[in-house]
Amino acid sequence: MTELSGGPALPQERRVVTAIPGPKSQELLARKNAAVAGGVGSVLPVFTVRAGGGVIEDVDGNSLIDFGSGIAVTSVGSSAEAVVRRASAQLADFTHTCFMVTPYEGYVEVCEELARLTPGDHAKKSALFNSGAEAVENAVKIARSYTKRQAVVVFDHGYHGRTNLTMALTAKNMPYKHGFGPFAPEVYRVPLAYPYRWLTGPENCAEEAAAQAIDMISKQIGAENVAAVIIEPVLGEGGFIEPAKGFLPRIAEFAKSHGIVFVADEIQSGFCRTGQWFACEDEGIVPDLITTAKGIAGGLPLAAVTGRAEIMDAAHSGGLGGTYGGNPVACAAALGAIETMRELDLNARAKRIEEVMKGRLAAMREKYDIIGDLRGRGAMIAIELVKSGTKDPNPEATAAVAKACHSAGLLVLTCGTYGNVLRFLPPLVIGEDLLNEGLDILESAFAEL
C-alpha cells in the first residue's frame, strides 16, 4: 500500500508565519475584488499555492490545517498520486472530443465503476455531468420522463444547488435564492426528521415526521402526480443533519408503493465521506437514482446520475448530455480517486476520523454548553451552537469560533439553515496528529469566547 504525501513533498504541518490573510494574499484579494464579480465570495481569502494531505499552503508561506476539503471534494487529498498520474496521462493524449460527438473509454469506465459501487444489485446505467446541481437537475428530467409526472418533493433544510431548478429545490433563502426568483414550478417541500429540533423529542421524530410528510404529499400534491422524491441521506448545507433512524426507509417505501422515483442526493455525503461508499447504505436504502459529484474525481469537475437501467433509459436519445459532461481528464481523475479510495481503504479512515473527532467534540460539549448538538458520521461531523440554556441558534458564536480558528491556521466551514453549525470535512488522508492539532485549536477558540 502506497501512502499519500499530498502535494509536491508538502510537509504535513501547521505553520503560521504572517497574519491570516497575509500581505500577499491581501494584494491578491484587492485584485480579486477588482476583477471578480462581488457575488463570488470566499470563506477565507488566503490564496493557495499548494495543497495536499491535510494542509493548504498559501502565498505567504502559511500552512493551514484543512477541515474543509474544498467542501468535501478533495477526500483523497488535493493531489493524490493516482489522480495526478491518470489525469496527466489523459492530458497528454487529448483533453476533449465531447462524448456526444466521438466517445471514449474513460467515460464508460466511470459508469461501470458507478454501477459496481452504488447500492443495489439491479442493472444500472449512468450519465455524467459537470456539477452536483447539474446532476440533480438531470435526475429530475429523467424521473419526469420515466413517470410522465411533474411534481418533485424535497425536504426542509435540504440543499440541492444553484441553478434555477435546484434553487427551487433548495430550502435556504440566503445566500442561495435571495433575489434570484421566480423559480421553477411544481416543487413541494415537506418536513424533515431533524432529531435535535423535533418539538416532541428525538424519540418521536422519525415516525411523526414521516407521517406528516406523507400526509402532505397525499393531500396537497397527490402521490399520483409526484415524479420524484429527492433527499440527502445526510444533509449538507442544511447543517449535517442525520434524519432520525427509520425516516428514510419509510419515505423510500412510500415512494416505491406509489411509483415515485426515490432520488438520493449523495453529492456531499458520497464516496467514503461517511465511512461507507454512500450514506444511504447505513439504513439499507437502495435508491432508484443517486446523484454524485464533489468527492468523485479528486478535485476535477465531474458529476453523475446513476440508477435503475429502465429509469435511466427513459429519456430519449440526445435528451441527456452537455458539451463538457464526462470530460476525459475528469474521468481519468475519477478512476484515480476510486483507485485511491480502495487502496487506502478510505471508508476505514473516515470511521477512524469519526472516532477521534466525536470523542474530542463530546468532551467539548460537556465543557461548553453553547454546543447544543454533536452529529454526523465518518468525516462528515458537525456541532450546532446555541445560546446558553436554550436551543436558540447562536450564529454569532459560530462566526466567532470560525474566525478564531482561521486566525490560528485551521480552516473550518459553517453551515445550517440558521447559520449556527460548524461542519468538519477533513480530507480522509489527513494525519491523526494534524487532526488532533486542529481539534486543539477549535477547543482554544471556544475557551476564548
Side-chain angles (χ1 to χ4, degrees):
M1 183 184 292
T2 303
E3 283 293 321
L4 296 180
S5 60
L10 193 62
Q12 294 297 293
E13 63 183 17
R14 180 177 66 101
R15 186 174 62 252
V16 179
V17 296
T18 72
I20 294 177
K24 291 181 180 178
S25 281
Q26 294 280 14
E27 290 175 10
L28 286 166
L29 181 61
R31 288 171 56 189
K32 170 190 177 288
N33 290 339
V36 179
V40 182
S42 298
V43 170
L44 179 57
V46 297
F47 282 74
T48 306
V49 291
R50 279 176 291 275
V55 298
I56 296 171
E57 187 177 304
D58 73 8
V59 290
D60 291 288
N62 299 299
S63 179
L64 282 66
I65 299 173
D66 181 12
F67 274 15
S69 298
I71 316 183
V73 169
T74 55
S75 296
V76 297
S78 293
S79 53
E81 183 277 331
V83 173
V84 174
R85 168 170 41 86
R86 286 179 179 252
S88 297
Q90 182 58 54
L91 274 168
D93 289 338
F94 62 93
T95 60
H96 178 73
T97 67
C98 185
F99 190 77
M100 298 182 301
V101 178
T102 59
Y104 36 87
E105 186 178 6
Y107 188 116
V108 178
E109 286 185 280
V110 171
C111 293
E112 290 170 340
E113 285 283 20
L114 288 166
R116 280 189 283 268
L117 292 171
T118 52
D121 57 8
H122 51 278
K124 301 172 199 164
K125 293 187 177 183
S126 294
L128 304 184
F129 304 99
N130 302 294
S131 70
E134 201 176 342
V136 172
E137 187 139 343
N138 276 276
V140 172
K141 287 166 57 178
I142 293 163
R144 284 174 167 166
S145 183
Y146 177 72
T147 62
K148 312 304 180 189
R149 305 171 182 177
Q150 295 184 342
V152 179
V153 172
V154 288
F155 293 82
D156 284 342
H157 309 286
Y159 175 85
H160 301 287
R162 294 175 181 261
T163 62
N164 185 266
L165 174 57
T166 57
M167 279 192 293
L169 302 175
T170 291
K172 190 175 180 179
N173 174 54
M174 182 63 80
Y176 305 111
K177 303 168 70 168
H178 187 73
F180 297 144
F183 302 113
E186 289 300 314
V187 173
Y188 301 87
R189 197 171 317 283
V190 297
L192 175 84
Y194 187 167
Y196 181 65
R197 295 198 171 274
W198 198 254
L199 290 177
T200 60
E203 66 278 4
N204 301 313
C205 183
E207 182 179 346
E208 291 180 1
Q212 287 183 24
I214 289 168
D215 185 66
M216 288 176 67
I217 294 168
S218 301
K219 291 180 179 175
Q220 297 183 24
I221 312 163
E224 68 277 9
N225 296 315
V226 180
V229 167
I230 306 174
I231 191 167
E232 301 161 275
V234 177
L235 276 70
E237 174 59 29
F240 282 25
I241 303 163
E242 290 186 272
K245 298 298 183 190
F247 179 78
L248 285 173
R250 180 88 182 275
I251 298 298
E253 180 185 358
F254 172 79
K256 182 178 181 180
S257 67
H258 289 86
I260 299 167
V261 176
F262 183 88
V263 183
D265 180 342
E266 293 260 12
I267 287 157
Q268 190 160 165
S269 59
F271 287 99
C272 306
R273 177 52 59 179
T274 63
Q276 295 166 295
W277 281 100
F278 299 97
C280 59
E281 296 176 68
D282 184 65
E283 292 188 88
I285 303 294
V286 178
D288 297 311
L289 301 178
I290 185 168
T291 59
T292 53
K294 291 191 182 293
I296 192 174
L300 275 74
L302 189 69
V305 181
T306 302
R308 297 183 184 278
E310 67 273 18
I311 299 177
M312 292 297 297
D313 282 342
H316 54 275
S317 179
L320 304 177
T323 302
Y324 295 107
N327 170 268
V329 181
C331 285
L335 295 170
I338 292 167
E339 175 187 329
T340 303
M341 292 170 196
R342 286 197 179 106
E343 182 181 329
L344 297 183
D345 192 1
L346 293 191
N347 280 316
R349 294 277 192 102
K351 289 174 182 175
R352 176 56 185 162
I353 290 169
E354 175 183 355
E355 184 180 3
V356 172
M357 294 198 82
K358 279 194 168 178
R360 294 284 307 274
L361 292 168
M364 291 183 213
R365 182 174 56 177
E366 290 296 317
K367 191 173 181 180
Y368 303 104
D369 68 352
I370 65 167
I371 301 177
D373 195 28
L374 164 60
R375 56 181 180 251
R377 298 202 303 270
M380 190 173 181
I381 305 294
I383 50 176
E384 180 166 354
L385 304 192
V386 295
K387 295 176 182 176
S388 295
T390 75
K391 286 191 177 182
D392 295 342
N394 196 338
E396 298 82 10
T398 308
V401 170
K403 183 178 179 180
C405 288
H406 295 166
S407 296
L410 171 66
L411 174 61
V412 297
L413 305 175
T414 62
C415 68
T417 300
Y418 312 107
N420 68 322
V421 176
L422 287 162
R423 57 174 157 175
F424 309 114
L425 293 159
L428 304 183
V429 296
I430 193 171
E432 207 161 303
D433 54 343
L434 280 178
L435 187 64
N436 274 301
E437 186 177 357
L439 290 164
D440 290 342
I441 293 168
L442 178 68
E443 185 157 15
S444 295
F446 276 105
E448 291 170 7
L449 281 180

